Amino acid sequence: MLNHYERKVAQILQNDMIMGRTSDAADIAHRTGRTLEEAKAAIDKVRQTRKIDGGMLL
């Protein structure tokens, strides 16, 4: 399961994908007010978590 911050990152990534924007870890960190390391870890976890659990993995 994802924590609150990871769910927020997942939502940002999904919204950016829908709008045709690209997101990188630095952009996510800036938009959420977290460190770059936290953003990278959250992005990795979101991409490795199944969609049914709130992630982006099929």
Side-chain angles (χ1 to χ4, degrees), residues 6 9 11 25 27 44:
E6 293 160 347
V9 168
Q11 189 64 52
D27 180 47
D44 288 342

Side-chain angles (χ1 to χ4, degrees), residues 8-39:
K8 184 178 195 176
V9 168
Q11 189 64 52
I12 290 171
L13 291 171
Q14 289 172 356
N15 288 345
D16 284 355
M17 201 170 14
I18 290 169
M19 296 302 294
R21 295 186 294 241
T22 58
S23 297
D24 61 354
D27 180 47
I28 299 292
H30 177 74
R31 290 165 69 180
T32 60
R34 299 282 184 112
T35 65
L36 184 59
E37 292 78 24
E38 288 176 310

Side-chain angles (χ1 to χ4, degrees), residues 39-57:
K40 285 181 181 179
I43 291 169
D44 288 342
K45 186 167 180 187
V46 165
R47 289 187 175 156
Q48 294 173 4
T49 303
R50 298 180 316 161
K51 276 191 172 188
I52 197 165
D53 295 325
M56 299 183 82
L57 185 65

